Amino acid sequence: MHPNISPRKVVTLEQFIIEREQQLPFATGEFSQIIRDLGLAAKMVNREVNKAGLVDILGFTGEENVQGEKVQKLDIFANLQFLQALRIGGQVCVIGSEENEEVIPVENSQNSEAKYVVLLDPLDGSSNIDVNVSIGTIFSIYRRITKGNGPGTEQDCLQKGTEQVCAGYFIYGSSTMLVYTTGNGVNGFTLDPSIGEFLLSHRDIKIPATCNIYSLNEGNYRKFYPGIKEYLRHIKGKYENSVRPYSTRYIGSLVADFHRNLLRGGVFIYPAFTDRPKGKLRLMYEANPMAFLTEQAGGMATNGEERIMDLQPTQLHQRTPLYLGNVSEVTLIHEYLRKYDLKKIN
Ligand code: AHM
Ligand code: MG
């Protein structure tokens, strides 16, 4: 080694969990096990995502592949991998997944005292799966609130975002990353495929305090309420000494849009509009985990009116409008919504 180059300390996810997370008051080996289980499932999904373009040559979904196995759709495959990893891990008493209508109670033969609850969007960004554009997995972890042992219930899943003990996502992009928080800042880990380990690559991520990017499906413009239209008019205007007009960056995968804005600055908007009076995105496994990450990175997450994490959920798959970004930008949007929207948001 060159004498002037000092070796950099490489921290694996495993080491990070041991050194950092296990110091937290609620931390137990059980909790760390869930992160490991999710990481393992994500590696399996990553492997399949990397092969997705080969499906046409190796067999269409629904057909049998060369090994005589049925080729599954990637979102179904991802769901199965995560459910299986969490079931085998034995620390989770109930799971809520975007792919399953009802909550999935988990019978743990080894550990009937499993006390964690996981909510999942196993493969987010469905429209981008087949076109080689970044997609992701979003997760949120709570503690069980119902008494007793054995499987948990829907009540355990319907907790406010403020009760999350951990939230994060995997992004399957030009590299595969895990970004998560346990309420003690946000850290990012990049998968080194050659050794199959997630390595700490982004320590204590903070969302940039200024913003000149917006991520929004503007194709819906005609259906937007006046508040968001006026805000868009404002950010596209050109003024002396200002960062306006803003640029648009919209991928159509929440994970990818969010990740970009988290690292580079920008606001993510999925508003309510006439066709979707409750917005599109799901509170329990899209909005809440991203809200926890946003706040832990120093930003603000709302439905245009109220803090996302304060919303009382009533249904596993309920939707919400979603605004994620730095505090001053989300506050500015609120001002526009308050001033121009006659309709209530929810
Ligand atoms: P999905 O769970 O079916 O993938 O839908 C959620 C996705 C998000 O990833 C993304 O932010 C949004 O839908 C994009 O929606 P639209 O195509 O309406 O812009
Ligand atoms: Mg989704």
Side-chain angles (χ1 to χ4, degrees), residues 98 121-126 136 138 254-255 280-282 285-286:
E98 174 166 11
D121 183 351
L123 208 58
D124 176 67
S126 45
I138 313 174
L254 172 61
V255 170
K280 174 182 180 184
L281 298 176
R282 314 292 185 143
Y285 41 79
E286 292 179 324

Side-chain angles (χ1 to χ4, degrees), residues 257-277:
D257 282 308
F258 179 83
H259 186 69
R260 191 182 194 293
N261 292 344
L262 181 67
L263 298 184
R264 292 280 177 264
V267 63
F268 177 88
I269 303 171
Y270 208 110
F273 51 88
T274 50
D275 286 3
R276 290 189 178 276

Side-chain angles (χ1 to χ4, degrees), residues 18-314:
I18 293 168
E19 287 164 21
R20 173 102 169 247
E21 304 302 356
Q22 294 202 347
Q23 312 305 322
L24 295 174
F26 61 81
T28 59
E30 297 156 11
F31 172 75
S32 319
Q33 181 62 41
I34 301 176
I35 309 266
R36 279 186 208 105
D37 296 338
L38 293 170
L40 178 63
K43 286 184 211 170
M44 309 276 202
V45 172
N46 181 55
R47 196 183 55 196
E48 291 307 300
V49 168
N50 287 337
K51 287 195 300 195
L54 298 171
V55 166
D56 284 356
I57 2 179
L58 301 179
F60 290 105
T61 52
E63 281 184 356
E64 288 192 353
N65 66 15
V66 282
Q67 282 93 33
E69 300 155 337
K70 274 247 185 301
V71 181
Q72 285 168 329
K73 285 186 65 163
L74 255 176
D75 42 6
I76 310 284
F77 175 83
N79 194 38
L80 289 175
Q81 291 304 317
F82 280 96
L83 296 186
Q84 198 168 315
L86 291 170
R87 280 199 185 108
I88 294 172
Q91 312 303 339
V92 173
C93 63
V94 60
I95 303 168
S97 165
E98 174 166 11
E99 293 291 332
N100 298 80
E101 198 51 42
E102 307 289 337
V103 302
I104 305 158
V106 181
E107 195 78 60
N108 288 297
S109 50
Q110 307 293 325
N111 175 19
S112 64
E113 291 175 19
K115 55 175 177 286
Y116 287 100
V117 175
V118 174
L119 296 169
L120 270 180
D121 183 351
L123 208 58
D124 176 67
S126 45
S127 67
N128 287 322
I129 293 176
D130 295 330
V131 288
N132 212 356
V133 173
S134 298
I135 47 182
T137 297
I138 313 174
F139 61 88
S140 180
I141 307 176
Y142 294 82
R143 259 169 299 202
R144 170 185 198 143
I145 49 172
T146 52
K147 299 251 178 299
N149 295 338
T153 68
E154 188 178 45
Q155 199 189 334
D156 294 305
C157 291
L158 296 182
Q159 300 186 51
K160 285 187 187 179
T162 47
E163 303 307 309
Q164 292 173 100
V165 292
C166 176
Y169 57 83
F170 295 92
I171 177 165
Y172 312 105
S174 45
S175 16
T176 294
M177 283 187 69
L178 161 65
V179 175
Y180 82 96
T181 182
T182 49
N184 192 16
V186 178
N187 291 284
F189 301 80
T190 302
L191 180 65
D192 180 339
S194 64
I195 55 170
E197 291 269 7
F198 285 98
L199 305 178
L200 180 61
S201 52
H202 296 64
R203 203 183 270 275
D204 201 16
I205 303 171
K206 292 289 173 217
I207 190 162
T210 54
C211 164
N212 65 348
I213 302 269
Y214 69 106
S215 304
L216 161 79
N217 185 346
E218 221 168 339
N220 296 314
Y221 185 86
R222 201 176 44 81
K223 302 175 234 166
F224 289 164
Y225 298 130
I228 199 73
K229 285 184 171 172
E230 286 299 321
Y231 165 73
L232 290 171
R233 201 171 62 79
H234 165 75
I235 62 175
K236 291 176 185 182
K238 172 83 186 129
Y239 297 87
E240 286 303 313
N241 303 323
S242 102
V243 292
R244 288 171 286 167
Y246 288 13
S247 292
T248 316
R249 294 285 182 275
Y250 191 69
I251 299 162
S253 294
L254 172 61
V255 170
D257 282 308
F258 179 83
H259 186 69
R260 191 182 194 293
N261 292 344
L262 181 67
L263 298 184
R264 292 280 177 264
V267 63
F268 177 88
I269 303 171
Y270 208 110
F273 51 88
T274 50
D275 286 3
R276 290 189 178 276
K278 292 187 186 307
K280 174 182 180 184
L281 298 176
R282 314 292 185 143
L283 175 63
M284 301 311 295
Y285 41 79
E286 292 179 324
N288 266 332
M290 293 315 196
F292 192 18
L293 288 162
T294 303
E295 290 194 7
Q296 284 296 314
M300 187 168 170
T302 76
N303 65 357
E305 213 175 26
E306 294 164 83
R307 183 182 178 214
I308 289 287
M309 293 209 291
D310 281 338
L311 300 174
Q312 177 61 58
T314 53

